[in-house]
Amino acid sequence: MTTTTVTTAPPLAEPDPDLRVRRRRSLSPGKQVPAARLAGPALLVVLWAVASAAGALDPGAIPAPWTVVESGVHLWTDGTLTDDILTSLQRAGTGFVLGLAAGIALALASGLTRTGEALIDGTVNLNRAIPTLGLIPLFILWLGIGETFKIAIIAIVVYIPIYLNTHAALSGIDSRFVELAEVQGLNRIQFIRQIVIPGALPGFFVGLRLGVTGSWLGLVVLEQINATSGLGYMMFQAQNYGQTDVILVGLVVYGIFGLISDSTVRIIERRVLSWRRTLSS
């Protein structure tokens, strides 16, 4: 009688859970380093300083960093830079607040009602297609050449990205959440507070960052039109006298305020949206 020996393959080993965790972690960008975003600007300044020290840059066209710092300290001590900064902050702040309020209100009206969407969304997109700085001559005729038209232009620059991103976030809310809210018997206010606002916040913060940056970009141009103070005015006057170092002082101050504004929005976003788990967190 012939006997047949049946061999069974050894059972497959269970995957090591630690190995799976290590594989997952290797796909992520890694641990976030505090103040890592300053590495790029710092490297740029170092390269600028090295090139200036080596004589690779024309001092008349691009002064050395230490020359720009000396000019900035001189303008600060005589009070010129302080007054210009305060004036620019007031203009940018006023226009930003108006644009923020308009962007949020229009996005909510357009995103939550079909009537609002029909009346608002197309109009805003038409406004977006028109270069905002191209509206300056028309706004000067309407509002005069004083401070009002400058603030109005800044408000337009700010409200457009806030509206677009907030409206897109509202439109992107999953319809299943709406059905869930109806099943739970939420009223309109509860629906907006518990479903709409949390769902729209990520897009809103993207628009807020773009709006903050846009307020400073618009200010550079507007302060060179019939202005008697402000960073843009200071840079325009420096252009007339060939003071490249003063122009760079103004650009550096604009850049610092823009970076601080963007970082502040990022910090607020991380705190408000702490419930999210993203690559950046």
Side-chain angles (χ1 to χ4, degrees):
M1 184 172 95
T2 305
T3 59
T4 304
T5 305
V6 178
T7 58
T8 57
L12 295 176
E14 289 292 331
D16 186 2
D18 294 335
L19 180 60
R20 291 201 304 267
V21 171
R22 286 196 297 270
R23 286 176 178 172
R24 283 201 302 268
R25 288 178 179 173
S26 64
L27 298 177
S28 66
K31 186 177 180 181
Q32 193 172 20
V33 180
R37 300 182 189 278
L38 298 178
L43 178 61
L44 182 62
V45 172
V46 170
L47 294 176
W48 178 17
V50 171
S52 298
L57 298 178
D58 181 10
I62 305 179
W66 44 87
T67 304
V68 175
V69 172
E70 291 176 0
S71 301
V73 171
H74 175 71
L75 292 172
W76 182 271
T77 53
D78 67 9
T80 302
L81 187 59
T82 308
D83 294 339
D84 290 334
I85 288 176
L86 292 176
T87 302
S88 295
L89 284 174
Q90 182 179 3
R91 287 172 181 153
T94 305
F96 175 77
V97 170
L98 294 175
L100 175 63
I104 294 175
L106 292 175
L108 290 175
S110 177
L112 297 179
T113 62
R114 294 300 182 188
T115 303
E117 184 177 19
L119 296 175
I120 296 173
D121 191 60
T123 306
V124 175
N125 280 279
L126 177 63
N127 189 4
R128 179 173 65 96
I130 300 174
T132 304
L133 297 180
L135 297 174
I136 290 178
L138 187 62
F139 272 62
I140 289 176
L141 293 176
W142 286 350
L143 304 175
I145 204 168
E147 293 294 312
T148 306
F149 97 90
K150 297 181 178 67
I151 294 174
I153 292 294
I154 293 173
I156 293 176
V157 172
V158 170
Y159 101 88
I160 291 178
I162 292 177
Y163 168 84
L164 292 176
N165 287 275
T166 306
H167 180 268
L170 289 171
S171 302
I173 294 177
D174 198 321
S175 61
R176 288 175 295 180
F177 292 112
V178 181
E179 297 172 358
L180 178 62
E182 293 173 349
V183 171
Q184 294 295 323
L186 300 182
N187 57 35
R188 191 71 171 178
I189 296 178
Q190 292 173 330
F191 170 69
I192 292 176
R193 187 177 68 250
Q194 300 179 23
I195 303 295
V196 172
I197 293 179
L201 280 177
F204 164 73
F205 277 109
V206 174
L208 187 62
R209 290 179 57 196
L210 295 174
V212 168
T213 305
S215 65
W216 293 108
L217 294 177
L219 197 63
V220 176
V221 178
L222 294 170
E223 288 190 330
Q224 299 182 27
I225 301 175
N226 193 45
T228 57
S229 60
L231 292 172
Y233 170 77
M234 180 189 73
M235 294 167 60
F236 181 73
Q237 293 296 105
Q239 174 193 346
N240 294 333
Y241 293 101
Q243 298 173 316
T244 312
D245 53 338
V246 177
I247 296 176
L248 287 176
V249 169
L251 291 177
V252 169
V253 173
Y254 274 128
I256 290 174
F257 279 126
L259 185 61
I260 291 175
S261 303
D262 185 74
S263 300
T264 302
V265 174
R266 283 176 178 270
I267 293 173
I268 296 173
E269 179 182 10
R270 281 198 298 268
R271 291 183 179 275
V272 174
L273 303 180
S274 59
W275 48 270
R276 291 199 310 169
R277 292 295 177 263
T278 62
L279 288 177
S280 62
S281 60

